[in-house]
Amino acid sequence: MTRRTDIWLRPEQKDIIENYSGGKVGIAAVPGSGKTFTLAHLAARLIASGTVDFAHQQEVLVVTFTNSAVNSFQARIARILQQQYNLLPSVGYRVRTLHGLAHDIVRERPALVGLADDFTILDERLSLEIQRDIIVSRLAEWWDMLSGYTSEEVDLKNARRRFENDLPALVSSFIKRAKDSRIEPETLLGTLAQHDDDQRFDLARFASSVYRDYQQSLSYRGAVDFDDLVRLALEALSMDDLYLQRLQDRWPYVLEDEAQDSSWLQEQMLRALSGNRNWVRVGDPNQAINTTFTTAEPRFLLEFLDESQNPDVVERPLSVSGRSVLPIIDLANELVRWTVEEHPAPDVRDAFDLAEDSRRGTRRGIIQPTGENDPQPNPPDSDGYIHLGYQPGQNTTPENEIDNVVAGEEYALREWLSSIQELPENERPTIAVLVPENSRGFKLAEMLRKYGILYEELLRSTTATRHTVTQLRTVIEYLADPGDLRALKQVYWVLMPSDRRDLVRDDSDLRQVISKFFAQYQNIEELLWPVRSAAPLSVSESAASAYPWLADDLAEFSIKVQRWLRAISLPVDQLVLTIGQNLFTDPVDVALIYKVAVTLRSMAKTHPDWRLPEFAEELRIISSNERKFIGFDDAESGYEPKPGIVTVATMHAAKGLEWDRVYLMAVSNYGFPSALPYDSYIGERWYVRDSLNLEAEVLAQLAALSVGDPDRYDEGQATRQARLDYAEERLRLLYVGITRARRQLIITWNMGRFWKNRPPNQPAQPLVALWEYTNQAGT
């Protein structure tokens, strides 16, 4: 093979890339250690070395967690093959997500698992919609039973409304876990029937009945959901040994990325495909941040790395990172050390993996800085800056925290950004503000917009997505009741360009002119379809002189509305496309409108009785971010931070990325609890008795039923364990946030809002511990 020799590898990377010839290898990789680089180079070397037989269509199989990671791996491997080995860039490998791989397996032999060749896969939105409809239709008959979970101190009517709102997420988690455990609804209902008088399992009874009806609905549609795919793939592999052997021959090497995020079922699928032989697993248990809302479990990777359980697994840690300045590395390592050795809740001390490696004299879980002559060294310490926004006795409101971050006096974005404006654009630092949840990010984005600071969003839905959908929703709401003159006026306002809207806000005379224009018409017909003898749309001479653009703008608006009213009889997707064609020209907006049209068309098939008011309500839910709807942004293609532009993201979305300057906001005991008596938990609803976490309780009921031992379930124990699990995951999330920063790190907190049923927030315990550490270290 032809190979360029100018590629530089750290010794631990070289050990993996150049010396691997087969077998099972576990790689615990610290943040910034180059795991994607290493895995991509390993795949390319296996291809180039001839161990993959092209003649028999063999491939190196690379499995990762997200679609953006798939794209990143494909681009890296293609570039390495072409530039380093002079080979074709797209031959000899396949990169898939876990669910994408499972889909490939099932799609190739659907009959093995009882599916037709043309089976369909329901997306998350439609799956949740079906489950929600079942829940709403059955809640009345089950309410007497479920109301036993409500607190006696709350209004039952209000509690029922909130219960109905929260049940879909709870039942969805139950169904996901049941499918991951390969438990059919009939099995659950059969076990429950044997304990019909045991009221402790009422929540599981309800969830199991919804699960049964949901599966029947899927069967009726000839469909499966994403949670079925891995289960069915494993079932197909176990039913046909020849099919399994053929896939094992096709993929003689399996390389798994982000292994800390694999579930038991996903691990079993990869174990089967690898034949438990040539399997390389890469991940970081200390960055396992998806455990409380998925079936992922980092313990599966830890067990794989455990020599006593798997003596045939060779561990090759990646512990050296050149991402951050040394003070930030020290801060991340201190968070791990403090948690393991000093956390005030001893049951939380296993949140991080910190293990000795006697052969190498290192500790897995500790980030090591680069050595001499490393071509990707840590940034110089002189560039480093850490500010922990905490002082004993200090209180900060949520509003003040955002204001301090954006426009305060000490570390604010506005002043700091102005100080780098003289730098060439491509030399400006990258900046991110990371928040625990989307709602906080939305408020921050509003403040950035107020101060004219350029930013991009990596939130559940971006401001641009929400704004576009809001415009569309406003038009649909009007078309649902076209005689409403106030609604028509609202359409005109919402569609107005932002600069002109600012002009109207600041000019009371202009507002009065527009109001008088609409008020002069007794009915809509006079405005939109005036009789021929009537004068054309106009404004007063004084208004025309002061605002020469206004008359033409109103006339153009009238023509658009006429066009939409003529299209009102079209199917909803075609109506949406007609409206979008008149409103949007930007390719991103056009693509988004097409996606909305497809979504509403799917809803129309599911709900043939829906009319425009129902579709308008769906758009309201999307625009207010009550339901996940990803717009056309960088979520699929991979995000690259832009110099000098602020990235607003959740800490979860930031994983895998890095910036020169990072702000971590809202690091309080509510977002980052420590399992202490005064902590509050987002999973414990105010209307539920005894502070139960109902999702944790129903999953514990499922676990007891799955082994046929109801006595294993002890009400309240699952809630207590969920507090510990959540506290551990949030510590790992804070670790992820800290390790996104290359040079500068600012951490802030706020005391939250005052709620009747819980005290104000406190600074998170790890923030206090890190503040004490930095004071002692003089950072």
Side-chain angles (χ1 to χ4, degrees), residues 667-669 672-674 734 749 762-769:
V667 184
S668 70
N669 70 311
F672 299 86
S674 292
L734 181 58
W749 77 284
Q762 302 293 323
Q765 279 294 311
L767 173 59
V768 176

Side-chain angles (χ1 to χ4, degrees), residues 1 3-4 7-22 25 27 33-49 51 76 80 84-85 253 255 280 282 316-318:
M1 68 182 170
R3 180 184 175 196
R4 284 171 49 182
I7 180 72
W8 192 94
L9 301 173
R10 294 187 182 120
E12 56 186 11
Q13 293 171 330
K14 185 173 183 178
D15 185 26
I16 295 167
I17 295 169
E18 297 192 349
N19 297 332
Y20 177 73
S21 59
V25 173
I27 303 172
S33 59
K35 67 178 180 63
T36 304
F37 170 92
T38 303
L39 213 56
H41 274 275
L42 175 57
R45 190 192 68 79
L46 289 171
I47 296 164
S49 65
T51 57
R76 281 175 179 261
I80 296 165
Q84 191 172 332
Y85 296 102
Y253 295 93
L255 313 184
V280 178
V282 184
R316 293 283 186 264
L318 290 175

Side-chain angles (χ1 to χ4, degrees), residues 517-585:
F517 172 82
F518 282 97
Q520 68 182 303
Y521 297 99
Q522 298 297 318
N523 56 66
I524 293 268
E525 288 81 358
E526 294 178 12
L527 170 59
L528 297 178
W529 286 285
V531 295
R532 292 193 176 185
S533 58
L537 296 182
S538 63
V539 294
S540 66
E541 288 187 15
S542 59
S545 175
Y547 314 105
W549 51 269
L550 183 58
D552 289 343
D553 193 63
L554 289 167
E556 183 179 345
F557 172 70
S558 174
I559 293 171
K560 287 179 180 176
V561 175
Q562 292 174 33
R563 189 176 298 132
W564 299 335
L565 286 169
R566 293 190 187 99
I568 204 169
S569 60
L570 293 173
V572 66
D573 57 319
Q574 295 181 36
L575 175 61
V576 165
L577 293 174
T578 300
I579 297 169
Q581 188 178 25
N582 294 151
L583 294 182
F584 307 109
T585 57

Side-chain angles (χ1 to χ4, degrees), residues 303-605:
E303 290 170 359
F304 184 82
L305 294 169
D306 188 340
E307 189 174 3
S308 65
Q309 296 188 53
N310 293 286
D312 57 338
V313 172
V314 178
E315 182 174 356
R316 293 283 186 264
L318 290 175
S319 57
V320 177
S321 173
R323 172 179 292 170
S324 306
V325 295
L326 192 56
I328 291 176
I329 288 179
D330 288 343
L331 195 73
N333 287 339
E334 171 61 16
L335 176 61
V336 173
R337 186 210 64 79
W338 172 81
T339 300
V340 171
E341 298 178 5
E342 298 181 23
H343 195 284
D347 289 336
V348 176
R349 291 180 181 176
D350 60 353
F352 291 107
D353 178 48
L354 188 60
E356 295 283 358
D357 185 338
S358 57
R359 289 172 295 178
R360 294 176 176 78
T362 61
R363 302 179 80 185
R364 186 203 308 151
I366 291 294
I367 305 172
Q368 306 286 344
T370 57
E372 293 183 8
N373 302 318
D374 193 310
Q376 294 180 319
N378 304 98
D381 289 353
S382 58
D383 290 354
Y385 172 79
I386 296 175
H387 176 86
L388 303 185
Y390 161 75
Q391 291 290 335
Q394 176 194 50
N395 289 323
T396 304
T397 66
E399 293 77 13
N400 284 345
E401 183 194 25
I402 288 180
D403 194 57
N404 290 339
V405 165
V406 176
E409 296 180 358
E410 189 172 357
Y411 48 79
L413 282 165
R414 184 172 63 162
E415 183 175 346
W416 181 79
L417 286 168
S418 66
S419 72
I420 65 171
Q421 290 306 304
E422 294 182 2
L423 294 173
E425 189 171 319
N426 63 341
E427 295 181 14
R428 294 173 188 171
T430 54
I431 321 103
V433 184
L434 307 183
V435 294
E437 72 282 326
N438 286 281
S439 59
R440 194 76 179 141
F442 300 151
K443 290 182 173 62
L444 175 70
E446 290 176 7
M447 183 66 76
L448 293 173
R449 201 157 51 247
K450 173 183 174 182
Y451 283 97
I453 295 174
L454 296 176
Y455 68 94
E456 296 179 332
E457 294 178 63
L458 289 180
L459 302 171
R460 172 172 284 185
S461 63
T462 66
T463 300
T465 295
R466 296 191 299 276
H467 178 64
T468 300
V469 175
T470 295
Q471 289 182 304
L472 181 61
R473 183 201 84 209
T474 306
V475 175
I476 296 290
E477 284 177 340
Y478 163 69
L479 296 179
D481 184 11
D484 189 340
L485 195 60
R486 292 181 61 184
L488 181 64
K489 185 178 177 182
Q490 181 65 18
V491 172
Y492 181 68
W493 169 253
V494 168
L495 299 186
M496 194 179 291
S498 57
D499 55 344
R500 193 158 288 172
R501 197 180 303 125
D502 291 340
L503 178 65
V504 174
R505 283 197 188 99
D506 297 338
D507 190 333
S508 59
D509 291 338
L510 177 55
R511 291 200 302 272
Q512 189 173 13
V513 168
I514 294 173
S515 295
K516 284 184 176 180
F517 172 82
F518 282 97
Q520 68 182 303
Y521 297 99
Q522 298 297 318
N523 56 66
I524 293 268
E525 288 81 358
E526 294 178 12
L527 170 59
L528 297 178
W529 286 285
V531 295
R532 292 193 176 185
S533 58
L537 296 182
S538 63
V539 294
S540 66
E541 288 187 15
S542 59
S545 175
Y547 314 105
W549 51 269
L550 183 58
D552 289 343
D553 193 63
L554 289 167
E556 183 179 345
F557 172 70
S558 174
I559 293 171
K560 287 179 180 176
V561 175
Q562 292 174 33
R563 189 176 298 132
W564 299 335
L565 286 169
R566 293 190 187 99
I568 204 169
S569 60
L570 293 173
V572 66
D573 57 319
Q574 295 181 36
L575 175 61
V576 165
L577 293 174
T578 300
I579 297 169
Q581 188 178 25
N582 294 151
L583 294 182
F584 307 109
T585 57
D586 184 275
V588 172
D589 288 334
V590 172
L592 177 59
I593 289 299
Y594 180 79
K595 185 174 182 180
V596 171
V598 171
T599 299
L600 295 188
R601 180 175 62 193
S602 174
M603 290 179 173
K605 290 180 180 179

Side-chain angles (χ1 to χ4, degrees), residues 57-58 65 79 147 165 168 232 260 270 281 331 333 354 361 379 422 481 511 559 563 583 655 691:
Q57 298 183 321
Q58 286 189 330
F65 194 63
R79 187 166 56 249
S147 63
N165 186 62
L232 292 173
Q260 78 279 352
L270 296 183
R281 308 190 72 188
L331 195 73
N333 287 339
L354 188 60
E422 294 182 2
D481 184 11
R511 291 200 302 272
I559 293 171
R563 189 176 298 132
L583 294 182
K655 188 172 179 294
S691 298

